[in-house]
Amino acid sequence: MKKEKIILGIDPGTQIMGYGLIKVTGKEMQLITFGEIILTKYETHPLKLKKIFERTLGIIDEYHPDELAIEAPFFGKNVQSMLKLGRAQGVAMAAGLYREVPITEYLPKKIKQSVTGNGNASKEQVASMLQSLLKIKSLPKRLDATDGLAAAVCHFFQGDSGSKGKSYTGWESFVSKNPKRIK
């Protein structure tokens, strides 16, 4: 009997958070669902973070993923945007850690490289490749959902190759690998 597992992929954001779930059976992957959490209607950043935590927990409780793959924040010029994005990622990770779901972070270039073969691929190229790989009938207008799905597919493709991103199996693991992030 082939072993099954579910992978949740998350593209964190403070305006829109994308997510996608795939079921893996042996070396085959199958789309479960993908979507986005719209956060623009919430006025304050703390309220958006609360919603990210609650909705991520809801997805975990509904689909029971075995692993969570999340896009790591990239370094940009706008420090405030980076800080907010990092908080959004941290809150989504906290939800996974709270439910004891192992988490792996991937850099955006790693996700694009894994899915398309090109680390500089556009969102549209990533979405198109996912559409082909997972037999998605139609793509959403915004591509945050496919970005979340791409993180899950990247995690599947990385497999046990040893080239995964940073992994955490719980709070203790996170703290031990990030001593400077804890004050």
Side-chain angles (χ1 to χ4, degrees):
M1 188 169 133
K2 292 182 181 178
K3 187 177 181 216
E4 285 187 359
K5 71 177 170 182
I6 294 174
I7 303 171
L8 167 61
I10 293 179
D11 175 36
T14 56
Q15 303 300 315
I16 300 171
M17 183 180 101
Y19 67 91
L21 288 118
I22 58 172
K23 180 168 90 172
V24 175
T25 308
K27 296 190 181 295
E28 300 291 319
M29 67 176 160
Q30 174 185 353
L31 176 67
I32 296 174
T33 190
F34 65 114
E36 41 191 44
I37 298 167
I38 308 296
L39 301 158
T40 52
K41 59 188 168 199
Y42 303 107
E43 291 182 20
T44 66
H45 188 64
L47 186 55
K48 289 178 183 188
L49 296 176
K50 178 180 185 273
K51 292 299 177 186
I52 292 168
F53 186 81
E54 290 171 349
R55 293 294 306 277
T56 303
L57 275 181
I59 293 166
I60 290 168
D61 290 346
E62 182 175 351
Y63 294 99
H64 307 286
D66 299 290
E67 298 172 7
L68 190 156
I70 192 164
E71 186 173 304
F74 56 91
F75 295 100
K77 293 181 181 173
N78 187 330
V79 176
Q80 280 302 320
S81 292
M82 235 173 57
L83 181 62
K84 287 180 178 177
L85 186 61
R87 287 177 180 161
Q89 184 212 26
V91 169
M93 289 174 70
L97 292 168
Y98 186 71
R99 290 291 191 248
E100 299 182 2
V101 178
I103 298 167
T104 305
E105 287 181 271
Y106 293 97
L107 293 171
K109 277 188 178 281
K110 179 71 168 182
I111 293 171
K112 292 173 182 179
Q113 172 73 37
S114 183
V115 173
T116 69
N118 176 2
N120 295 313
S122 68
K123 285 177 167 282
E124 292 78 13
Q125 289 170 313
V126 170
S128 179
M129 182 60 79
L130 290 171
Q131 186 172 24
S132 174
L133 287 169
L134 296 168
K135 299 167 184 64
I136 299 169
K137 288 184 176 77
S138 65
L139 293 172
K141 286 184 180 127
R142 291 185 298 261
L143 300 179
D144 301 273
T146 50
D147 286 349
L149 186 57
V153 171
C154 169
H155 188 68
F156 166 69
F157 283 153
Q158 295 310 304
D160 297 320
S161 66
S163 62
K164 286 189 176 183
K166 291 184 184 178
S167 296
Y168 310 108
T169 54
W171 284 113
E172 196 172 303
S173 168
F174 179 81
V175 171
S176 71
K177 291 179 181 178
N178 296 281
K180 293 181 180 175
R181 292 173 109 175
I182 310 302
K183 298 238 180 210

